[in-house]
Amino acid sequence: MERNVKTLWSTPKAPRPSSWIAQVSRADALGIAWVSGLISQKADGEVITGTSVAEQTQLILENLKVIVEDMGLTMDHIVKTNIFMRDLKDFDEMNAVYQQYFNSENPPARQCVEAGIWGGLDVEISSVMILR
């Protein structure tokens, strides 16, 4: 098996996870990249707490958009999102923001599950994108 089938990619314009987690893991030979779970965090690493589900979702998706655009892509390149929510009763609030970032004619596949989120936050979103 070939070594280095994946490469680490990151931008300083969006928050970076700890050193043991890739911001983005690319598999160029497959034409796919995976973005690690994003939380409501500024590019400098400051975690934003005490905000609404809508505000957390917007910050997360703005960070995702920055990552995608820094890769020379658009949000249409995202083919799958995984959404983790502290409480699914807030789904409609999250979804109202989410719908502003994706094409309604051809949205990405998506799953949304209730889960504990680091730091007591309400939303975490990871994604998969194509590189072509």
Side-chain angles (χ1 to χ4, degrees), residues 67-86:
I67 291 169
V68 168
E69 289 176 351
D70 261 25
M71 294 179 80
L73 305 171
T74 70
M75 294 294 274
D76 286 334
H77 287 87
I78 296 173
V79 295
K80 175 77 167 40
T81 58
N82 302 300
I83 302 173
F84 304 92
M85 298 189 69
R86 184 180 55 79

Side-chain angles (χ1 to χ4, degrees), residues 2-74:
E2 178 187 338
R3 295 182 62 107
N4 299 327
V5 293
K6 64 177 176 58
T7 57
L8 178 76
W9 187 92
S10 67
T11 177
K13 296 178 185 175
R16 291 189 207 173
S18 73
S19 61
W20 288 96
I21 303 169
Q23 185 184 59
V24 177
S25 184
R26 293 177 62 126
D28 289 325
L30 298 174
I32 301 172
W34 295 264
V35 179
S36 289
L38 298 171
I39 58 173
S40 57
Q41 186 175 22
K42 292 183 178 179
D44 66 7
E46 178 188 359
V47 177
I48 306 304
T49 59
T51 59
S52 70
V53 168
E55 290 168 313
Q56 289 178 48
T57 303
Q58 183 170 12
L59 180 54
I60 291 166
L61 292 174
E62 283 297 319
N63 284 329
L64 179 58
K65 187 175 177 183
V66 164
I67 291 169
V68 168
E69 289 176 351
D70 261 25
M71 294 179 80
L73 305 171
T74 70

